[in-house]
Amino acid sequence: MPSWWGSLKAIFVSGGAFLGGGAVAVGAAYDKIKDTPGTDWSDACIAAFTPGFPLIGSIAAILGFVATAAQLLGPRPVTAKEALAIVTDDGDRTRALAEETLANTALQGAESEQRDAGMSAQLDEILAILKQQGGVGGQQLETAARTVQQLAGSESARDREIANEATSGDPEGAYRALVAEAEAGKRRNAERFRQAARLIAPFSPGKARDAYRSAVELDPEDLWSWIELGRLEAVYSSLAEARACFSSALQRAPDERNRSVLHNEFGDILIAEGELRLARAQFEAGLAISERLAAQDPENRLWQHDLTVSCNKLGNVEVASGNLGAARERYEAGLAICDRLAAQEPENRALQRDLTVSYNKLGDVEMASGNLGAARERFEAGLAIRARLASQEPGNGEWQRDLSVSHDRLGNVEMASGNLGAAREWFETGLAIAERLAAQEPGNSEWQRDLAVSYDRLGNVEAASGNLGAAREWFETGLAICERLAAQERENGVWQRDLSVSYDRLGNLEVASGNLDVARERYEAGLAIAERLAAQEPGNSEWQRDLAVSYDRLGNVEVVSGNMDTAREWFEAGLAICERLAAQEPGNGVWQRDLSVGYNKLGDVEVASGDLDVARERFEAGLAIRKRLAAQAPENSDWQRDLAVSYNKLGDVEGASGNLGAARKRFESGFVISERLAAQEPENSEWQRDLFVSNAKLAALAEAEGDAEGALVRFEVAEKMMLRLAERSPDHPSFARDLALVRNEISRLRTTDR
C-alpha cells in the first residue's frame, strides 16, 4: 500500500493531468466558436469533448484524482506487526467460541437423551397403568397411552386433568370429558351457523338454508334449527324434505307448546299438497294444545298468541275449502284474542301489529265474499294502527312494509269497486314505500319482491283503464326484478313461480293488445318454468295447478287466433290435471271450481267450432259442480256468481240451437242470482255489470221471440245501470264501451219500431 507521501504525489500528478486536459478542451471549444458562426458555448463544449482520446484521458485523470484523495483521507494502513497481533487475538477468541459451542451441544444432547428417556419412561408407566385397567392390548393400547401422554404434556390444565382421570382408573370418565368438550365446541359452532342463517335470511334465503343444514349436523338436538330448515326446504328442495325436518324436530320437542307449533308446520305442508282434510286435523290438534295451555295460564301472553295463530291457520283451511263463513268465524275468534291482548298492553307494538294481521285476514274474507264495504272497514282499521306504528318508529323497515301492504289492500278494494283512480292513488302510495325500502337495502330479496308486486298492481290498474302501453311498462319493470331474483337463486321455487306469473301477466296484456305471437312467447316462457317446477315435485299441488293454468292461457291464445283444435288440446291437458286434483281431494272447493272452469273452456271451444251438443255437455258438467259448491257454501258469493255464469253459457247454447224457451229458463236463473248479488253490494262494480249483462241477454232473447217492446224495456234498464257505473267511474273504458253498445241497441230498436 503506498505511503501518504506517495499518495500526495499521485494527487498532484492526476490533478495536473485533469487541469491540462481541461485547458485543451476549453481551447478547442474557443476555436469552435471562432470558426463556426452561430455556435454557442454549449455546442462548442460538446464538440470539444467529442474526440475519443482527449475525453478518455480526462476521465482517467479525474478517476485517478478521486481514488488517490480517498486513499489519502481513508483509514491508515495496518503494519505487519499490527496484523500479526490481530490474527493471534482472533484465533484465541475463535477457539474459545468453538470449545463453548461443543460443550453446549454435548449438554443439549445429554438433556435430550434424558428427556427422551423420561418421556419413554412416562409412556411405559402410562402403558403399564392402562394395562392394569384392562381393555384391548397391542397397538390400540399403545396409541391410547400416547394420547394420554399428549394430554398430560398439554399447556391446558383441563387436558392435564383428563389425563389424570385416565391414569387414575377412569378412562371412561376421561372419554366422557373429551366428548363433552367436543360437543360443546360443536354447539358453539352450530350457534355460529344459526347466527349466520338468521343474518343472511333476508338477503339470500338459500344461503340461510345451507347454514341451517350445517347447524343441525353439528347440533341435531336444537329444535328450532330443524323448524327453520324445514320451512326453507319447502321452498328450495321439496315438501318431503320439509316434512323430514319437521319430523326430526318433533322427536326433540320437549313440551306441548313446541308440539303445537309442529302440528301447524305439518298442516302448512298438507295445505300445499292439497290435503285439506288432513291439514285441518293437524291444525285442530295444535288448537287443542293451545286452548289447554291458554286455559292453564290466562296471563301467559305467548300461549294466548299461540291460540290466535291456531285460529288463523284453521281459517286458512276454510278459505282454501271455499267455506268463507267458517273462515270468518275462525278469524274473528283470533281477532277477539288479539284485541284483548292489545287493550291490556297498549304500548306493546308487537301486540298492536298482531291486531292488524287479524283485521287484514277478515278483510280478505270480505273481499272474497264480495262485501267490499265490510272489507274496506277491516283494512282501514288495520291501516290506522300500522300508520301509527310506522310514524312512531320510521326506521323500522318491517313496519314500513306493513304500511305499504295496507295501502295495497285498500287499492284492491277500489279496483273491485271500479274506482280505478282511487286504486291508482293507493297503489302509488304503497309503491313509494316499497321503492324507498328497496333502495335502502338493495340486497334484501323480500323487499325487492315487494317492489315487483307494487309494479304489477299499478300495471293491473293501467290495463283495466285501457292504458296498455303504461301497463306494459309496469309489468316489464316488475319482470326485470323477478328475473334477477330467479337468476340469483335458481332453487327458490317461490321466485321461479313469481317469474312464471310475470310472464303470464305480460301474455295477457299482449292478448288484449292483439299481439298474439308475442303473447304466445310470453306464455310459453311461463309454461317452461311451470313444467320444471311440477316435474321437480309432483306432490306439490300448487305447482301442478300452476301448470294447468299455463295450459289454459296458451289455449286462450289459440281460441283468439282461431286455432280451435290446438286450443282444445291445451284445454284438455289442463283439464286432466284439474280432474286428478279434484279426485284427490273432493273437499277442496278451489280444485272443484277449477274443474268447472276447465269444462267451460272446452265448452267455449265447441261453441266456436259449431258443435253445440258437445258444448252443452261440457257446460252442464261445469254447472253440476257449481250447483254443488253454491249449495255447500251459500255465503260464498264467488261461487254464487259462478253459478250465474254457467246458467248464461247454457242459455247461449240453447239460444244458438233455437231452443228459446230453454234459453229463457237458463237466463232467468242467472238473472235471479245476479240481481241478488247486485242488491247485496251496490258498490261491487263487477256484480253490477253482471246484472247489466243478464238484462242485455234477456233483451236479446225477447227480440228473438218477437217481443221488440219487451226487448227495448230490458235494454233501457241495462242502459241505466251502465250509465250509473260509467258516471261513478268515468276513467273505466269497459263501462264506456258497454254503455255505447247498449245505446246502439236501443237506437236500432227504436228506429226499427218507427
Side-chain angles (χ1 to χ4, degrees):
M1 181 174 294
S3 65
W4 67 272
W5 171 243
S7 297
L8 187 60
K9 286 191 292 182
I11 289 174
F12 286 136
V13 173
S14 59
F18 171 69
L19 292 175
V24 172
V26 170
Y30 177 76
D31 291 339
K32 182 71 175 177
I33 293 171
K34 183 177 66 174
D35 296 339
T36 307
T39 302
D40 57 15
W41 273 101
S42 62
D43 292 334
C45 290
I46 291 171
F49 284 100
T50 297
F53 287 115
L55 178 61
I56 292 171
S58 297
I59 291 172
I62 293 169
L63 292 176
F65 176 80
V66 171
T68 306
Q71 187 179 37
L72 179 63
L73 299 175
R76 184 177 59 82
V78 179
T79 64
K81 184 178 180 180
E82 290 173 338
L84 179 61
I86 290 171
V87 170
T88 302
D89 291 343
D90 284 349
D92 293 340
R93 282 197 297 272
T94 300
R95 281 192 298 275
L97 181 60
E99 290 172 357
E100 182 180 357
T101 301
L102 289 173
N104 288 336
T105 301
L107 179 61
Q108 289 172 0
E111 290 177 349
S112 177
E113 289 178 2
Q114 291 175 0
R115 185 166 58 251
D116 289 345
M119 291 181 67
S120 179
Q122 181 191 37
L123 183 60
D124 290 342
E125 182 182 355
I126 293 171
L127 187 58
I129 293 172
L130 295 182
K131 280 182 180 179
Q132 291 176 357
Q133 295 175 180
V136 179
Q139 184 62 45
Q140 286 186 335
L141 197 63
E142 288 186 19
T143 302
R146 291 186 185 279
T147 301
V148 173
Q149 185 181 40
Q150 182 184 22
L151 290 167
S154 170
E155 294 181 0
S156 166
R158 180 58 183 146
D159 285 357
R160 295 194 296 273
E161 289 175 5
I162 294 172
N164 187 54
E165 285 186 63
T167 56
S168 300
D170 190 12
E172 289 283 344
Y175 159 78
R176 286 192 298 271
L178 288 170
V179 169
E181 290 279 333
E183 291 293 340
K186 285 165 62 176
R187 285 193 294 274
R188 284 193 298 273
N189 289 336
E191 178 57 23
R192 282 300 188 196
F193 277 117
R194 287 192 288 269
Q195 290 171 337
R198 292 191 290 266
L199 185 149
I200 200 63
F203 309 98
S204 177
K207 290 185 174 65
R209 178 200 58 173
D210 295 341
Y212 276 124
R213 282 179 173 176
S214 298
V216 297
E217 287 178 6
L218 290 169
D219 184 14
E221 298 307 312
D222 187 77
L223 173 79
W224 280 93
S225 290
W226 285 111
I227 292 175
E228 295 294 348
L229 177 59
R231 291 169 177 171
L232 291 167
E233 294 290 12
V235 175
Y236 284 87
S237 300
S238 68
L239 298 178
E241 290 285 345
R243 181 180 281 106
C245 290
F246 296 144
S247 296
S248 295
L250 184 61
Q251 295 171 10
R252 296 164 171 83
D255 52 42
E256 279 197 311
R257 194 258 168 181
N258 283 293
R259 282 193 289 277
S260 75
V261 170
L262 286 162
H263 280 306
N264 289 340
E265 297 295 344
F266 283 118
D268 288 339
I269 289 180
L270 289 164
I271 284 185
E273 292 174 334
E275 300 286 353
L276 300 186
R277 180 179 55 83
L278 297 176
R280 184 182 287 108
Q282 287 287 343
F283 292 143
E284 286 176 345
L287 175 64
I289 295 174
S290 297
E291 285 177 330
R292 189 163 57 250
L293 292 176
Q296 288 175 6
D297 187 359
E299 301 303 317
N300 189 315
R301 193 176 66 212
L302 176 62
W303 291 354
Q304 296 293 323
H305 174 267
D306 288 345
L307 191 55
T308 302
V309 171
S310 290
C311 290
N312 288 344
K313 294 282 187 185
L314 281 162
N316 295 343
V317 172
E318 300 303 342
V319 168
S321 302
N323 303 323
L324 300 183
R328 185 183 289 108
E329 290 179 7
R330 293 296 189 180
Y331 290 146
E332 286 177 345
L335 173 64
I337 298 169
C338 289
D339 208 7
R340 186 175 67 251
L341 293 176
Q344 290 173 358
E345 297 186 42
E347 301 304 316
N348 189 314
R349 297 175 184 178
L351 294 178
Q352 296 294 319
R353 183 184 183 274
D354 288 344
L355 187 57
T356 69
V357 172
S358 288
Y359 281 133
N360 282 349
K361 285 188 174 292
L362 280 162
D364 291 339
V365 168
E366 300 302 344
M367 281 286 291
S369 302
N371 304 324
L372 302 185
R376 183 182 287 106
E377 289 179 8
R378 295 298 192 179
F379 291 145
E380 286 177 345
L383 173 65
I385 297 173
R386 291 184 169 187
R388 186 171 67 250
L389 291 175
S391 64
Q392 289 174 356
E393 194 171 339
N396 189 317
E398 287 302 318
W399 290 354
Q400 296 296 321
R401 179 182 183 268
D402 286 345
L403 186 58
S404 174
V405 170
S406 287
H407 286 302
D408 286 349
R409 277 187 158 85
L410 282 161
N412 292 338
V413 173
E414 299 304 336
M415 280 281 288
S417 301
N419 303 324
L420 302 183
R424 184 182 290 107
E425 290 179 7
W426 282 115
F427 290 146
E428 287 176 344
T429 305
L431 172 65
I433 298 172
E435 286 182 326
R436 187 169 65 249
L437 291 176
Q440 178 181 320
E441 288 189 23
N444 189 317
S445 55
E446 183 182 27
W447 292 356
Q448 294 297 320
R449 185 173 183 259
D450 288 343
L451 185 56
V453 171
S454 290
Y455 289 139
D456 287 343
R457 292 188 190 281
L458 280 162
N460 292 336
V461 172
E462 298 304 339
S465 303
N467 305 323
L468 301 186
R472 184 180 289 106
E473 289 181 7
W474 286 119
F475 288 147
E476 287 179 343
T477 306
L479 173 66
I481 296 175
C482 291
E483 286 178 328
R484 186 169 67 248
L485 290 175
Q488 177 180 320
E489 291 193 358
R490 297 185 182 279
E491 291 181 86
N492 190 317
V494 173
W495 293 354
Q496 296 296 320
R497 183 178 184 271
D498 287 346
L499 182 57
S500 176
V501 171
S502 285
Y503 284 132
D504 285 351
R505 280 197 177 91
L506 280 161
N508 295 342
L509 191 67
E510 299 304 340
V511 169
S513 304
N515 304 323
L516 300 184
D517 289 339
V518 179
R520 188 178 288 107
E521 290 178 6
R522 294 296 193 180
Y523 288 145
E524 287 175 346
L527 172 65
I529 298 172
E531 285 180 327
R532 186 171 67 248
L533 292 175
Q536 175 183 320
E537 190 171 359
N540 190 317
S541 59
E542 183 180 24
W543 292 355
Q544 298 297 319
R545 184 175 183 263
D546 287 343
L547 183 57
V549 171
S550 289
Y551 288 145
D552 284 350
R553 293 192 188 282
L554 281 161
N556 293 339
V557 173
E558 300 306 334
V559 167
V560 179
S561 302
N563 304 322
M564 295 303 156
D565 290 339
T566 306
R568 184 181 292 107
E569 291 177 4
W570 284 119
F571 290 145
E572 286 177 344
L575 179 65
I577 296 175
C578 293
E579 286 177 329
R580 186 171 67 250
L581 292 176
Q584 173 185 325
E585 180 63 52
N588 189 319
V590 174
W591 293 355
Q592 297 297 321
R593 181 185 183 273
D594 287 346
L595 184 57
S596 73
V597 171
Y599 286 133
N600 283 351
K601 285 187 175 293
L602 282 165
D604 291 336
V605 169
E606 300 306 339
V607 168
S609 302
D611 196 338
L612 299 181
D613 290 337
V614 177
R616 184 183 291 107
E617 291 177 6
R618 294 295 194 180
F619 290 145
E620 285 178 345
L623 175 66
I625 296 172
R626 292 181 171 189
K627 279 183 175 179
R628 188 170 65 250
L629 290 175
Q632 173 186 320
E635 77 286 348
N636 190 322
S637 55
D638 280 345
W639 290 357
Q640 297 296 321
R641 180 178 182 270
D642 286 343
L643 184 56
V645 170
S646 285
Y647 282 132
N648 285 341
K649 285 185 177 292
L650 280 163
D652 290 336
V653 169
E654 298 302 345
S657 302
N659 304 324
L660 301 186
R664 175 171 293 281
K665 184 178 179 181
R666 296 298 193 181
F667 286 145
E668 286 178 345
S669 295
F671 175 79
V672 170
I673 298 172
S674 297
E675 190 175 41
R676 185 174 69 248
L677 291 176
Q680 174 184 322
E681 183 58 76
E683 195 177 350
N684 191 316
S685 60
E686 185 177 36
W687 292 356
Q688 299 299 318
R689 186 179 182 279
D690 286 345
L691 184 56
F692 159 81
V693 170
S694 286
N695 275 298
K697 285 184 178 294
L698 285 166
L701 181 62
E703 184 180 7
E705 293 173 331
D707 184 5
E709 185 176 349
L712 185 59
V713 171
R714 284 286 189 182
F715 277 133
E716 286 174 344
V717 172
E719 179 194 22
K720 289 179 182 178
M721 296 184 63
M722 189 49 62
L723 179 60
R724 190 163 55 247
L725 285 175
E727 288 177 345
R728 192 174 71 188
S729 303
D731 58 345
H732 202 299
S734 296
F735 296 164
R737 184 174 60 250
D738 289 343
L739 182 60
L741 289 173
V742 73
R743 283 177 169 171
N744 285 339
E745 292 298 315
I746 292 171
S747 177
R748 180 182 59 78
L749 283 173
R750 286 174 177 167
T751 301
T752 302
D753 184 53
R754 285 197 299 271

